[in-house]
Amino acid sequence: MILQVEAQKIYTLEDYLDFEVNSPERHEYINGEIRPMTGGTPNHNQIAGNLYATLNFSLKRQPYRVFVTDQRLWIPEKRLYTYPDIMVVQGEIQLQEGRKDTITNPLIIAEVLSASTRNYDKDEKFAAYRTLPTFQEYLLIDQYTIHIEHYYKTDEKHWIFVEYNNSNETLVLNSISFEIVIADLYDKVEF
């Protein structure tokens, strides 16, 4: 028996953007490959919503913008389009050249982990985010148990890691004046 392997189609940035703008679902673009994004669970949406609402309220009338789920991010060095769960931008939004819908300057990114994206979010995606000069802080939030991994940049290639496992702890961000009790982040989440 002979197996035929079909060559993986490589898409241009223009192919992806034409497709994505007209698609009812979201897709990531990873160096020529288009991948569908998985749907969210109630826990995923609750955590993202809790963090977004608290950040957005805490940062009102300050020079920050908070985005949730559907805001596309372009990472030129890795040729990656993606949709982080939460992004905070400091100051003016910088858009990809020629686009009005794709940000390039996040300060903080948070991802709510799912079983299918956990390793990708921790490894490849975090490495891609680190190529963005404005990126300073990363939260990986587990939706199946109380567990948060918090990374913040101290200089060019140094990051500090803080771990939270207790609902009574308070997560304090380093790059902005913001804190949230872990119990509030996980409010209405059912394990």
Side-chain angles (χ1 to χ4, degrees):
M1 177 200 246
I2 299 174
L3 291 175
Q4 291 186 336
V5 177
E6 188 174 312
Q8 175 70 36
K9 180 167 169 94
I10 302 298
Y11 295 90
T12 67
L13 297 174
E14 294 77 21
D15 291 340
Y16 165 77
L17 290 168
D18 289 344
F19 171 76
E20 187 69 2
V21 167
N22 297 305
S23 175
E25 296 90 27
R26 294 178 301 134
H27 301 81
E28 283 188 323
Y29 176 89
I30 304 169
N31 201 25
E33 182 182 341
I34 297 175
R35 292 184 191 168
M37 302 208 38
T38 58
T41 64
N43 278 357
H44 183 284
N45 287 310
Q46 188 68 53
I47 292 165
N50 290 344
L51 181 57
Y52 170 77
T54 308
L55 274 166
N56 202 43
F57 183 77
S58 295
L59 297 173
K60 67 182 178 187
R61 291 189 286 283
Q62 294 184 46
Y64 299 98
R65 299 276 301 270
V66 184
F67 298 94
V68 63
T69 311
D70 289 328
Q71 180 57 62
R72 187 169 44 244
L73 172 66
W74 169 237
I75 305 170
E77 189 172 316
K78 297 295 184 178
R79 296 179 43 82
L80 171 64
Y81 284 106
T82 190
Y83 295 85
D85 291 321
I86 303 286
M87 281 191 292
V88 177
V89 173
Q90 182 177 14
E92 293 294 318
I93 296 170
Q94 294 174 14
L95 297 172
Q96 179 187 12
E97 188 174 332
R99 304 291 312 171
K100 295 184 183 216
D101 57 1
T102 307
I103 289 175
T104 62
N105 65 322
L107 174 70
I108 300 164
I109 295 176
E111 297 284 8
V112 180
L113 302 176
S114 66
S116 62
T117 65
R118 175 184 310 274
N119 291 337
Y120 173 59
D121 287 343
K122 285 184 174 191
D123 296 326
E124 289 177 64
K125 216 174 197 183
F126 187 25
Y129 291 156
R130 290 193 310 265
T131 68
L132 296 168
T134 58
F135 179 58
Q136 299 293 310
E137 204 149 2
Y138 194 38
L139 296 173
L140 294 164
I141 307 166
D142 197 307
Q143 67 173 301
Y144 307 108
T145 186
I146 294 175
H147 183 81
I148 301 160
E149 294 182 12
H150 175 203
Y151 300 87
Y152 61 91
K153 190 175 183 178
T154 58
D155 61 46
E156 184 63 29
K157 295 190 181 216
H158 293 93
W159 289 76
I160 300 291
F161 168 68
V162 182
E163 191 170 30
Y164 302 89
N165 294 307
N166 186 312
S167 63
N168 296 322
E169 293 178 284
T170 300
L171 174 111
V172 179
L173 293 183
N174 192 58
S175 55
I176 61 174
S177 178
F178 175 83
E179 59 184 54
I180 185 171
V181 176
I182 302 302
D184 292 338
L185 181 60
Y186 282 94
D187 184 49
K188 296 182 181 72
V189 172
E190 297 179 10
F191 300 114

